[in-house]
Amino acid sequence: MSDFEPKIVVFLCNWCSYAGADLAGVSRYQYPTNIRAVRVMCSTRISAHIVLELFKEGADGVMVSGCHIGDCHYINGNLFTERRVKLAENLLKLAGVEPERLRLEWVSAAEGEKYSQVITSFVNKIKGLGPTPVLKDKKLVTRMAAAVDAAKYFRLKTLTSKEVKLTGKGNVYEEVIDPKEYDLLIERAIEDEYQKSLILTLSNHQARSVKELAKELGEPTDRTLDHVVTLRAMNMLALDHIDGTTPKYKAIAGGA
Amino acid sequence: MSDDEKRIGVFICHCGSNIAGFVDVPAVTEYVKTLPDVVFATRNLYTCADDGLTSIKESIKEHNLNRVVVAACTPRTHAPLFQGTCQEAGLNKYLFTFVNIRDQCSWVHMKEKEKATEKAKDLLRMGVARARLLQPQEEVKVGVTPSAVVIGGGIAGMSAALSIADQGFPVRIVEKESELGGFVRNLSSIYQERQDAGALLKTIIDRVRGNPNIELSLNSEVVSADGFVGNYDIVIDTKGQEKKDKVGVIVLATGTKEYIPKGLYGYGQSPNVVTLTEFERLVKEKKLPKMTSIAFIQCVGSRGQDKTYCSRICCNISVKNAMNLAENYKNMLGLEETGAVTEAAAPKEAPAEGGDRRRGRRGRRGGAEEGEEEASAGSKLEVVIFNRDIMAYGIDHELMYNKAREKKVRLVRYTPKNLPKVTVEGGKLVIDYWHDTLQMERKMNPDMIVLATPITSQADAKQISMMLKVPLGQDGFFLEAHVKLRPVDFATDGIFVCGTCKGPADIPEAVTQGTAAASRACIPLARGFVQPEALSAFIDSDVCSGCGTCIEVCPFSAIRKTEEGKAEVTIAACKGCGNCGATCPENAIFMNNYSDEQLLAEAKAALQEVKG
C-alpha cells in the first residue's frame, strides 16, 4: 500500500510540544505531511473519549504529545495524560482496533529534531498498519461507539483521575496503593464498563436477548447476564418484550 | 444578523515566500471560500504588516465579520497581535483563531508543494470548524493587594526587594538564615578585578536595611501560600512562630548550594582537596596554607559526570582565583597589609578581620614560625587549571583568561575519557594526567587541589515547588514560563523567579534577574487589578455531584467546594489546563475556549476529504 496516505491527528500541548513543532519548522526539519495538529493548553486536556471519538470517525492514527514528565507547565498534568492515553489504549484493544495506532510522546520546546523524528516514525508505523479498519466494518463502528461511551462513564473517569494520587501520595489515610495492583483493578473495570457500554449500544435500537448479547461480547452468558442485571438495576436497560420464552432487553434512551 | 449567524473572514499570509514558496496560497484561498460560513477570504503578502492589519480591520467592518481566522506563522508569536487588531475593530479577541501554516506546514514540507497545499487546506478547514464554535469571552477584573514577598535574601532577592520597594510597594524578605547575603557570603572576591565580595554585599545589605518599604523576616520560611495573582495568603514560620500575611505577588530567589564531590578526585581524603567555594572561604578567612603549587580541576561532577548541565560560572571563578594567586599570592596569605584585597574592604571592619586572620592562620598552620612563612610565601607559585575547555563567556572574561595565560597560569586540557587521577599518598597529593598536546603521561604534586563543582538546587526546592505549584526542570532548578520570552516569570501568574534557584548565574546576572523579576512583579501591583485570560473552567452546578475529584487534580488549587457542596472555579486562579475538564466524572466541567465540542470539531475536520 505504497500510495496509502494516512490521516493522523496530533494533539500538542501549548508549552512544550507545540513549541517543539514550531522549532522543527524554524530549523527546517522535514517530515511527512500526514499529520494535522490541534493545539491544547496541556496534554492533560485530552480525555480518552476524545481520542476514541476520532478513531470512531476514521482516524488512521492519533498522537498525544506533551512536556516531559517533571517539566509540565501545569506541574503534573502529563501524569494524568499518561493514564488517559492508557485508558484509551485499553479500550481500543477491547474494541478490536490496533492500540499501536495511538501514541503518547513527550517533546520539549527544545526538541524540534525529535519532533520531526517522532512524526516520521509514527507516520511510517501507521503506513505499515494500513488504513484504519473502523470505517469498513460496521461492527467496529458499534464497538468504537461503546468504547467512547465507556471512556465518558464516571467509573472509568474517576479511576483514571485518582490513580496519580492513590498510587503516589496515597488516600486520606496515607495508604499508597501498589501501581501494579491499581493497573489490575483498572483493567478489570475497563473491561466491565466496555462490555456494559457495548450491551447498551447493541440494544439501543433493537431489543436483544442475553444469548445474542453474549455472542457479540464474546463472553459467557452468565457474565453477560450479570451485566444485564446491573444495567437494569441502574435503570439503563429495560425488558422490552418476551419473545417466546426469551426475554429481550432494550437500552433506556437517556437512561441514568 | 441573528446570534447564530456565523460570518467568518479568513486571512492567509504569504509571509513573503516563506509560505507562498511551498504552499499554493491562491489555491488554498479559493478552497477556503467554499467552506461553510466563510463570507470573506483573502491573502496578504504579510498579514502582520500594516496593510495586512488594516485589511483585517476594514474587512471586519465591511463584511460584518464575527469570526476571524488568520493562517500564517505561529500563534505563539503572532496571536496577540491579531487579537489586538480584532479588538480595535470591535471584535472580541476570543472570536479569533490562528492556523499555523508556516512553522508547522510550509517550513517542514519544503519539497512537496502539492501535499503541503493539501495539508494547508485541511488545516484551514479545521481552523474554520473551530472558529464556528468560538464564543466571545469576558475577562474578569480582580483586585490586587499591593505588596510583595521575596523568598530568599541573597543577592538576587535583595535586588528584587530593593527595586520593588523603590517603586513604592511594601515588600518583605523571608530569609531562612540568620543574616542576609546568601551564597555570596562564602566568596572572598569578585571577578574580574579583585573586589572584596564582603564590601559589595555590605553596600546592598545596608540599602536593604535602610529602606523603609522593606521588612525582614530572618530565620524564617514561607510554609504555605494559597490564592492567586494579586491575592496570596501566606504563612511565615519564624523559629516555630507562625505569622499570616497577605501579598499580591511572590518573588522566588531561594538560591543555590554547592555540589559536594563525594568520592571524586580525592575529595574527603585530604583537607587540601577543596571545592571552589571552600577555597573562596579559605581566602576570605585568610586561612590559605602556604604552598608552591596549586591545581584547579574544572567540570567536577558536572557536564555528564553526575549533573548533566554546565554550571557556567566556574570557569570564570577559577580563572579569577588563578589570576589572584599568580599576581597576589602574598596578599592572599595576609602577609602584606596594603594589598588590594584589604584595601577594598570597609575600613572600620579591618581590625576585626585582622584578628580573625591571625587566629585562622595559627589554627591551620599549627604554630609554624612566622618568619619562615614570610620567606617562602614570596616564592613563585605554580598554578594549573585542568579543564575540558575554558568557557570564559563575556568580553572581559575572555580578556582575563588571556591575561591569566600571560601570567603563566597553565591550562591543561583533559577529556572525559582521560580524567586526571588524584591520589593521596601519605598526606601528599599526586595528580597523574594525560597531556593531550604532548601525548604523554605526566605527574604533578600540588599542595592544594581545588575542585570546580557545579552549583545545584537547594534541598527544599521540591518542597517549595509543591507549595507554590511552580515547576522544577529536570536538573532540579525552577523552570521559567519560557526560556527566551518570559525568563523570570512562572507559568503561574503572580509568581516570579530570579537568581541561582533557576540555574547557574553570577552576581551581575543575579542582580539583572532580580530587578527584572521585580519589574515584572510590579505590573499587577501598579495596575491595581488583574485580568486573567478567559481560558478558565466552568462548572455546571446542576450536573456537579460534588465528588471533589476536580479539586484533587487541580494543580493551582483553583477549585473549591461551595457551601452547597458543589465545586466552584476561582476564575482568577485557573490557568485553563483542562485537567478538571478531562477528569470530571459527571462531565459537568466545560473549558472556555477549549471545549470538547470545539476540540472535536477541529480534529474531526481533519478527517474529512477535501471536496473539489
Side-chain angles (χ1 to χ4, degrees):
Chain A
M1 291 247 11
S2 61
D3 57 348
F4 164 51
E5 291 295 347
K7 285 180 200 154
I8 299 170
V9 176
V10 180
F11 290 101
L12 302 174
C13 81
N14 181 54
W15 301 95
C16 291
S17 296
Y18 197 89
D22 277 355
L23 182 62
V26 173
S27 322
R28 308 298 196 276
Y29 290 120
Q30 306 293 298
Y31 53 78
T33 55
N34 307 73
I35 60 141
R36 306 288 181 260
V38 175
R39 182 169 72 124
V40 286
M41 293 309 281
C42 180
S43 60
T44 198
R45 173 72 193 86
I46 304 306
S47 330
H49 76 84
I50 292 184
V51 170
L52 296 166
E53 183 86 37
L54 293 176
F55 279 112
K56 192 185 119 210
E57 297 289 319
D60 294 307
V62 175
M63 187 169 109
V64 179
S65 183
C67 309
H68 286 271
I69 295 294
D71 279 354
C72 177
H73 273 71
Y74 302 97
I75 320 291
N76 62 355
N78 47 8
L79 293 182
F80 294 86
T81 312
E82 254 183 338
R83 270 62 175 191
R84 291 186 179 123
V85 168
K86 206 162 72 182
L87 169 62
E89 263 172 8
N90 276 323
L91 285 165
L92 274 180
K93 230 181 287 178
L94 288 170
V97 175
E98 304 95 323
E100 301 82 28
R101 291 184 183 274
L102 172 59
R103 188 178 284 191
L104 173 64
E105 288 285 349
W106 309 132
V107 175
S108 83
E111 293 176 328
E113 188 175 12
K114 181 180 175 188
Y115 181 75
S116 71
Q117 287 164 352
V118 158
I119 294 298
T120 309
S121 105
F122 189 50
V123 170
N124 288 339
K125 174 88 199 175
I126 300 296
K127 281 189 173 172
L129 287 171
T132 171
V134 175
L135 294 183
K136 287 174 290 190
D137 186 343
K138 262 203 156 163
K139 259 190 183 168
L140 273 180
V141 179
T142 311
R143 286 165 165 268
M144 281 310 303
V148 171
D149 288 345
K152 278 187 187 169
Y153 192 56
F154 84 89
R155 185 176 170 204
L156 295 188
K157 284 191 112 177
T158 312
L159 280 171
T160 316
S161 302
K162 286 197 181 276
E163 184 176 353
V164 172
K165 191 178 171 208
L166 293 179
T167 60
K169 263 203 229 156
N171 61 15
V172 286
Y173 307 108
E174 292 180 4
E175 294 164 346
V176 178
I177 301 177
D178 177 50
K180 276 186 193 149
E181 204 181 309
Y182 203 95
D183 270 355
L184 274 176
L185 179 102
I186 206 167
E187 268 167 37
R188 234 175 291 142
I190 293 171
E191 209 179 306
D192 264 8
E193 294 311 323
Y194 168 72
Q195 287 173 358
K196 284 196 271 180
S197 291
L198 189 55
I199 290 173
L200 292 175
T201 315
L202 289 167
S203 54
N204 208 359
H205 300 295
Q206 191 185 341
R208 306 268 190 171
S209 69
V210 171
K211 215 169 174 183
E212 283 168 359
L213 290 169
K215 202 179 150 209
E216 287 288 339
L217 259 59
E219 287 289 322
T221 40
D222 55 348
R223 190 169 152 84
T224 310
L225 185 60
D226 279 351
H227 289 321
V228 168
V229 171
T230 312
L231 288 169
R232 283 191 70 186
M234 295 177 77
N235 208 20
M236 297 168 94
L237 193 72
L239 178 68
D240 189 67
H241 64 277
I242 296 176
D243 188 1
T245 54
T246 313
K248 292 208 166 187
Y249 300 94
K250 211 171 165 187
I252 297 172
Chain B
M1 187 174 68
S2 80
D3 279 355
D4 292 344
E5 195 193 342
K6 307 280 158 45
R7 299 182 61 83
I8 304 175
V10 184
F11 302 82
I12 305 170
C13 184
H14 284 229
C15 195
S17 62
N18 279 305
I19 293 170
F22 312 100
V23 166
D24 185 347
V25 174
V28 174
T29 313
E30 287 313 304
Y31 168 71
V32 167
K33 287 178 184 167
T34 68
L35 293 171
D37 297 334
V38 172
V39 295
F40 178 75
T42 188
R43 52 199 171 88
N44 319 87
L45 187 56
Y46 291 101
T47 310
C48 62
D50 267 353
D51 52 344
L53 299 178
T54 311
S55 114
I56 293 179
K57 276 189 265 186
E58 282 171 359
S59 307
I60 290 175
K61 294 206 174 99
E62 194 180 327
H63 301 280
N64 216 356
L65 303 178
N66 56 21
R67 303 286 187 284
V68 167
V69 177
V70 170
C73 43
T74 168
R76 292 177 60 251
T77 55
H78 279 66
L81 176 71
F82 297 123
Q83 283 179 328
T85 306
C86 289
Q87 257 171 334
E88 280 174 39
L91 192 67
N92 185 289
K93 74 177 197 184
Y94 292 90
L95 297 173
F96 165 84
T97 202
F98 202 110
V99 176
N100 184 328
I101 58 166
R102 190 188 73 181
D103 290 22
Q104 296 185 23
C105 188
S106 70
W107 276 354
V108 290
H109 312 306
M110 297 174 90
K111 292 178 188 130
E112 316 172 80
K113 191 164 184 175
E114 206 172 297
K115 282 185 182 174
T117 304
E118 288 313 299
K119 177 173 170 179
K121 286 180 186 172
D122 283 8
L123 291 173
L124 270 142
R125 189 173 61 242
M126 292 161 70
V128 168
R130 173 175 165 76
R132 298 177 70 214
L133 298 175
L134 292 177
Q135 291 298 326
Q137 307 290 344
E138 287 307 319
E139 292 176 346
V140 292
K141 273 190 185 180
V142 185
V144 161
T145 307
S147 67
V149 64
V150 176
I151 307 178
I155 203 94
M158 286 192 292
S159 305
L162 276 171
S163 174
I164 295 170
D166 287 346
Q167 291 179 65
F169 300 103
V171 49
R172 176 180 294 281
I173 299 179
V174 179
E175 167 59 52
K176 74 181 166 187
E177 303 285 331
S178 58
E179 51 187 308
L180 294 169
F183 196 81
V184 178
R185 286 197 294 141
N186 294 316
L187 307 183
S188 69
S189 64
I190 295 162
Y191 53 64
Q192 292 87 24
E193 296 308 319
R194 284 189 299 276
Q195 265 188 47
D196 188 339
L200 175 113
L201 211 47
K202 188 173 182 309
T203 322
I204 185 166
I205 291 174
D206 286 348
R207 281 180 57 206
V208 167
R209 288 194 175 275
N211 194 311
N213 268 342
I214 301 181
E215 281 197 68
L216 293 180
S217 294
L218 298 175
N219 299 306
S220 304
E221 284 177 62
V222 175
V223 288
S224 90
D226 284 315
F228 51 91
V229 54
N231 298 277
Y232 282 104
D233 292 305
I234 59 169
V235 177
I236 300 166
D237 180 292
T238 308
K239 291 181 173 170
Q241 287 243 307
E242 293 202 340
K243 178 177 170 304
K244 285 184 182 164
D245 203 359
K246 265 188 175 308
V247 294
V249 289
I250 299 172
V251 176
L252 206 55
T254 50
T256 187
K257 72 179 194 317
E258 182 188 37
Y259 175 86
I260 299 301
K262 270 185 204 136
L264 291 173
Y265 302 107
Y267 186 82
Q269 293 171 35
S270 160
N272 287 333
V273 180
V274 296
T275 66
L276 204 46
T277 312
E278 288 163 354
F279 176 80
E280 289 274 350
R281 236 177 280 140
L282 287 176
V283 177
K284 186 187 175 90
E285 294 162 11
K286 310 270 175 172
K287 287 181 184 168
L288 212 56
K290 203 173 56 172
M291 48 194 170
T292 53
S293 73
I294 179 168
F296 290 81
I297 303 179
Q298 298 302 110
C299 305
V300 176
S302 58
R303 297 179 70 195
Q305 198 167 26
D306 179 4
K307 303 287 175 188
T308 53
Y309 54 91
C310 163
S311 187
R312 211 165 74 114
I313 56 175
C314 1
C315 281
N316 288 334
I317 298 173
S318 288
V319 170
K320 170 203 78 177
N321 282 317
M323 269 292 290
N324 285 352
L325 286 165
E327 276 190 334
N328 198 37
Y329 170 53
K330 271 197 268 179
N331 267 333
M332 291 173 84
L333 286 178
L335 297 178
E336 283 178 19
E337 294 298 334
T338 53
V341 174
T342 37
E343 232 171 42
K348 63 175 181 184
E349 283 196 346
E353 224 173 66
D356 280 342
R357 183 191 318 141
R358 267 189 294 279
R359 262 204 311 282
R361 195 172 67 231
R362 288 229 174 85
R364 190 171 182 91
R365 299 287 304 151
E369 290 294 320
E370 293 271 298
E372 186 193 310
E373 222 175 358
E374 206 147 358
S376 53
S379 60
K380 199 76 192 137
L381 177 68
E382 184 191 19
V383 185
V384 184
I385 303 179
F386 291 94
N387 63 87
R388 280 173 61 180
D389 23 38
I390 293 285
M391 307 214 185
Y393 71 103
I395 300 160
D396 294 337
H397 295 299
E398 185 65 19
L399 293 176
M400 184 168 70
Y401 165 70
N402 288 335
K403 218 165 129 192
R405 302 189 65 167
E406 282 165 22
K407 294 278 172 193
K408 303 283 188 271
V409 169
R410 275 174 59 212
L411 292 136
V412 177
R413 198 152 182 187
Y414 72 86
T415 60
K417 276 186 188 157
N418 268 322
L419 298 177
K421 276 184 200 66
V422 174
T423 37
V424 185
E425 290 167 7
K428 291 230 188 297
L429 302 173
V430 184
I431 303 182
D432 290 291
Y433 63 97
W434 173 254
H435 199 298
D436 218 36
T437 319
L438 299 176
Q439 286 290 306
M440 61 192 294
E441 294 283 352
R442 304 278 288 172
K443 202 186 264 298
M444 179 187 177
N445 297 91
D447 296 311
M448 179 173 259
I449 298 177
V450 183
L451 305 178
T453 60
I455 65 172
T456 63
S457 61
Q458 295 274 29
D460 58 0
K462 181 88 201 165
Q463 194 190 326
I464 292 173
S465 137
M466 303 284 280
M467 177 185 73
L468 294 177
K469 316 263 166 83
V470 293
L472 292 173
Q474 280 165 341
D475 295 312
F477 293 109
F478 287 102
L479 192 70
E480 64 282 83
H482 189 284
V483 64
K484 291 188 173 70
L485 301 175
R486 295 174 65 194
V488 295
D489 299 1
F490 277 117
T492 313
D493 288 334
I495 309 182
F496 304 86
V497 61
C498 57
T500 46
C501 67
K502 72 183 277 285
D506 64 7
I507 293 172
E509 286 161 349
V511 172
T512 311
Q513 289 175 19
T515 40
S519 97
R520 298 286 295 158
C522 283
I523 293 174
L525 303 186
R527 193 193 275 163
F529 65 89
V530 287
Q531 210 165 6
E533 244 193 300
L535 294 175
S536 68
F538 173 78
I539 300 176
D540 185 342
S541 58
D542 291 342
V543 184
C544 174
S545 67
C547 71
T549 314
C550 54
I551 298 175
E552 273 173 25
V553 304
C554 178
F556 303 108
S557 316
I559 309 178
R560 55 192 181 86
K561 219 175 240 188
T562 61
E563 278 171 17
E564 293 84 51
K566 305 278 187 174
E568 190 181 75
V569 178
T570 308
I571 290 172
C574 175
K575 302 291 293 176
C577 69
N579 199 343
C580 59
T583 291
C584 179
E586 302 291 351
N587 302 301
I589 303 185
F590 166 89
M591 298 308 300
N592 260 351
N593 236 25
Y594 288 95
S595 67
D596 276 14
E597 200 191 3
Q598 288 166 342
L599 289 177
L600 278 170
E602 185 177 352
K604 280 183 183 174
L607 306 174
Q608 298 162 6
E609 294 289 345
V610 177
K611 290 180 197 96

